Amino acid sequence: MMSTEILCCKNLTKRFGAKTALNGINLNIERGKIVGLLGPNGSGKTTLIKLANALLTKTDGEILINGLAPSAETKKIVSYLPDKTYLNSWMKVKDILNFFSDFYDDFNAQKALDMLARLDISPENRLKTMSKGTKEKVQLILVMSREAQIYFLDEPIAGVDPAARDYILNTIISNYNENASVVISTHLISDIEKVLDEAVFIQNGEIKLHKTVDEIRQENGSSVDNYFREVFKCL
């Protein structure tokens, strides 16, 4: 029987020398949810995502993906969009599609081609000829074309124009199945609030709040963005 929890953290701690990036966090994320991992820059969002992707190792506590510690095995069910471009600019889009097809058993190349066609992006195009916004879209298409069980998207809408943001959000909500979850890390809350089921507030490596978006609105009489600004005293 498939567990309802896809991500589970118990007293998860990560230190870099004297700096504590995550301080004993407890967090459970169920399947079928779009969750905002929300916090100021430097709050621990990327550290948590890298731990979940086995790119960092924990200092203490536990992190489980579908009941397993992050490893080569869990990478088969995790699709990850990092906060920085990692594709080589000289590559053609078709080369990247072939790379993903070879590397990931769950990559749906036809889905990727369909999304690229709707944007009028030719598989023959090289990344270096594209605008920043178009590159962001290509990377997202690659990530969302996997039939993964959890998607980690680290700042997917940072640095792109409003039209590109709308496309990115629509792509996210229309390309994951009901048994999968999406974790979106961002500080641009007003832009993504409309697609979220739950919000996790993180500050200084600690979870300050984890509630459904509806609970936050009902309890505080304000949007998630406004409540976030109040909690973190953002200007």
Side-chain angles (χ1 to χ4, degrees), residues 29-35 176 178 180-183 197-198 212:
I29 291 176
E30 295 185 349
R31 293 177 181 276
K33 306 291 185 184
I34 300 181
V35 181
Y176 83 106
E178 62 185 16
S181 285
V182 182
V183 177
D197 297 308
E198 299 178 0
T212 69

Side-chain angles (χ1 to χ4, degrees), residues 15-227:
R15 287 188 286 271
F16 298 96
K19 176 178 170 53
T20 300
L22 292 176
N23 186 21
I25 68 167
N26 294 289
L27 177 65
N28 294 322
I29 291 176
E30 295 185 349
R31 293 177 181 276
K33 306 291 185 184
I34 300 181
V35 181
L37 183 62
L38 312 176
N41 290 331
S43 58
K45 302 189 300 293
T46 296
T47 299
L48 177 56
I49 289 175
K50 286 185 174 180
L51 285 166
N53 282 277
L55 297 172
L56 293 172
T57 55
K58 62 186 174 63
T59 303
D60 205 355
E62 185 175 59
I63 179 169
L64 301 174
I65 303 288
N66 198 32
L68 300 172
S71 62
E73 192 64 27
T74 61
K75 285 185 177 184
K76 295 176 183 177
I77 62 170
V78 174
S79 194
Y80 170 47
L81 180 71
D83 61 342
K84 294 181 174 64
T85 302
Y86 62 94
L87 302 171
N88 290 315
S89 62
W90 55 265
M91 294 180 79
K92 291 183 177 180
V93 173
K94 68 176 184 181
D95 298 329
I96 303 167
L97 291 179
N98 290 336
F99 173 76
F100 266 65
S101 293
D102 289 343
F103 205 74
Y104 299 110
D105 290 338
D106 63 358
F107 183 70
N108 186 333
Q110 190 56 53
K111 179 190 277 191
L113 287 168
D114 291 345
M115 285 193 275
L116 289 165
R118 287 201 292 273
L119 288 175
D120 200 26
I121 297 173
S122 168
E124 296 296 329
N125 288 354
R126 294 186 190 275
L127 282 186
K128 66 181 179 182
T129 67
M130 298 177 185
S131 67
K132 177 179 172 60
T134 302
K135 286 179 187 174
E136 297 269 0
K137 291 173 185 175
V138 170
Q139 287 198 140
L140 183 72
I141 285 170
L142 291 165
V143 168
M144 297 309 296
S145 293
R146 288 185 56 198
E147 308 292 343
Q149 294 185 35
I150 186 165
Y151 301 81
F152 288 98
L153 312 177
D154 198 355
E155 297 285 359
I157 59 173
V160 296
D161 61 73
R165 289 179 187 177
D166 286 343
Y167 174 82
I168 287 168
L169 293 176
N170 289 332
T171 300
I172 291 167
I173 61 178
S174 58
N175 285 283
Y176 83 106
N177 67 62
E178 62 185 16
N179 289 319
S181 285
V182 182
V183 177
I184 306 174
S185 161
T186 188
H187 60 282
L188 301 170
I189 298 150
S190 62
D191 291 289
I192 70 157
E193 181 173 336
K194 62 186 177 183
V195 307
L196 298 180
D197 297 308
E198 299 178 0
V200 176
F201 287 7
I202 185 169
Q203 182 182 37
N204 298 326
E206 297 181 352
I207 302 293
K208 298 298 184 183
L209 174 146
H210 180 196
K211 291 184 177 180
T212 69
V213 168
D214 288 341
E215 284 173 336
I216 293 172
R217 290 172 180 154
Q218 289 167 6
E219 291 172 9
N220 302 286
S222 67
S223 68
V224 175
D225 182 44
N226 285 337
Y227 186 59

